[in-house]
Amino acid sequence: MHRRLRRPAAALSGLLLVSALAACGGGGSEEADDPGSSSSSEGGSGDSETGEEVEGVTFEGEVGESLTVDFSAEVPQPAETTVTTVVEGDGDPVEEGDTVNTYLWLGNGTGQEQLFSDYDNGAPQAIPYEPAQLDELFGSLLEGQTYGSRVVAVTTPEVVFGADPQGNQFEVQDSDSLVVVADLVDEQQAAPEPSSDQPEDAEPDTQPSVVEEGGNPVGLDFEGIEEPELDQPVQRVVLEEGDGAPVTAQSEVTVNYLGSTYEADAPFDESYSRGEPLVSPLSGLIPGWTIGLTGVPVGSRVLLQIPPAYGYGAEGSGPSIPGNATLWFVIDIVSAEG
């Protein structure tokens, strides 16, 4: 299934750099919501300083807009992680409890090459600053910083990939150095709280119409539909009512689906063309699905309008789902167990 539908992680205990990078597929792919497998971090934060560059590396581009990294020499592997603020932002201090919109960049300082960049992926990652839950590398990148800063860590594969870094997806060797850049763009604001946590049965003319080809949904037509308020509850239209058992919040569902944002040129995801329905516990998906599908009979086709608080919040998901985006899903409920 497409991991985009998975419920975002609520805790930072598994959000280490390796999982953030692995979840994104290494570069160029859409950002996923699962944090992936976690690993331990050792080595500590080491020394911290402020300067315009790191020895052997220069950084160009405005924080939050672009990043070009040029290696003039091989970066030696440090005995412990060193952290340098190469651009000191003039924004507010990063404080405990903030969620920091951060563009991450990873490079091999020995091989003098880029391994991963959020700038290539088109969107920052949201990192909650909870020092007690962050691994030491992330903690050292955020501690004492201000928004608008560019912070660089030079570290080892063990710190990034865990005690046994062999077999990492980037083919980094034990003896290599790693350069990690964190552009701390701004504080992520929370998504507005919906006025109700219950679904509202909406009139079909208040929702986009389903565009079909060969009997399968291929998109949504938003002509004449105004963009909803962000605090509007989940809106539900049962387009075709099935005659099966009702879905429960504890069900494992098998569904086909298509998802879109407002007036999007194309869906951000769909299962119809793949011919592989999604099979998942409903409780493991974004909350709007549980709210909107509970009580709907198997065999139904449903159109859901989901506010950002019950979707991907202020964070969004990858370049195709911006922060605080209302989502629409066409869902065919094939079966439900439990």
Side-chain angles (χ1 to χ4, degrees):
M1 65 156 288
H2 198 301
R3 298 175 67 192
R4 180 181 296 286
L5 294 175
R6 293 296 186 192
R7 182 189 299 270
L12 230 280
S13 58
L15 183 54
L16 306 179
L17 180 60
V18 60
S19 57
L21 298 177
C24 296
S29 64
E30 292 183 337
E31 185 175 340
D33 297 291
D34 289 14
S37 58
S38 62
S39 61
S40 61
S41 172
E42 298 179 1
S45 59
D47 299 327
S48 181
E49 58 184 31
T50 300
E52 295 183 354
E53 64 178 42
V54 173
E55 184 176 359
V57 196
T58 57
F59 308 90
E60 297 181 356
E62 294 292 327
V63 172
E65 296 183 7
S66 66
L67 173 62
T68 301
V69 180
D70 291 319
F71 290 94
S72 60
E74 180 178 316
V75 179
Q77 187 182 85
E80 64 176 4
T81 301
T82 60
V83 177
T84 303
T85 303
V86 296
V87 175
E88 187 169 352
D90 57 6
D92 293 335
V94 175
E95 297 182 349
E96 184 173 350
D98 287 359
T99 297
V100 185
N101 289 322
T102 307
Y103 282 93
L104 294 174
W105 186 96
L106 176 69
N108 187 324
T110 302
Q112 302 178 51
E113 61 178 344
Q114 173 182 306
L115 302 177
F116 168 88
S117 175
D118 275 327
Y119 284 105
D120 290 346
N121 291 336
Q125 301 190 39
I127 302 177
Y129 183 38
E130 299 291 349
Q133 298 179 22
L134 279 169
D135 76 300
E136 292 185 39
L137 177 60
F138 268 115
S140 66
L141 289 167
L142 297 179
E143 182 179 5
Q145 299 296 334
T146 55
Y147 289 106
S149 296
R150 173 167 289 160
V151 190
V152 179
V154 179
T155 188
T156 66
E158 184 176 9
V159 169
V160 175
F161 298 109
D164 184 13
Q166 293 291 336
N168 63 82
Q169 70 184 102
F170 303 111
E171 299 182 354
V172 172
Q173 304 301 306
D174 289 350
S175 58
D176 290 342
S177 65
L178 291 176
V179 179
V180 182
V181 183
D183 279 2
L184 313 180
V185 182
D186 53 23
E187 181 183 1
Q188 182 185 97
Q189 302 302 310
E193 186 71 20
S195 58
S196 173
D197 61 1
Q198 299 299 310
E200 294 182 348
D201 291 319
E203 294 298 325
D205 61 3
T206 67
Q207 298 298 312
S209 57
V210 180
V211 180
E212 295 186 356
E213 290 182 5
N216 287 331
V218 295
L220 294 175
D221 183 355
F222 287 86
E223 184 176 359
I225 303 300
E226 295 185 0
E227 189 168 11
E229 298 294 330
L230 299 183
D231 62 352
Q232 189 173 26
V234 171
Q235 303 294 295
R236 177 174 63 194
V237 178
V238 179
L239 300 172
E240 300 175 15
E241 186 167 1
D243 56 7
V247 174
T248 72
Q250 292 74 42
S251 293
E252 179 176 90
V253 295
T254 300
V255 299
N256 277 304
Y257 66 92
L258 176 146
S260 178
T261 56
Y262 183 67
E263 292 187 332
D265 293 333
F268 58 75
D269 189 28
E270 54 86 24
S271 67
Y272 295 97
S273 65
R274 295 196 297 267
E276 296 180 1
L278 161 68
V279 180
S280 174
L282 191 57
S283 60
L285 304 175
I286 58 174
W289 276 47
T290 300
I291 293 170
L293 295 184
T294 298
V296 177
V298 170
S300 298
R301 170 171 288 184
V302 184
L303 177 63
L304 298 180
Q305 173 192 307
I306 298 175
Y310 296 144
Y312 297 103
E315 174 185 357
S317 180
S320 57
I321 303 180
N324 276 334
T326 300
L327 309 176
W328 283 263
F329 286 96
V330 181
I331 304 171
D332 288 343
I333 307 172
V334 178
S335 66
E337 303 292 336

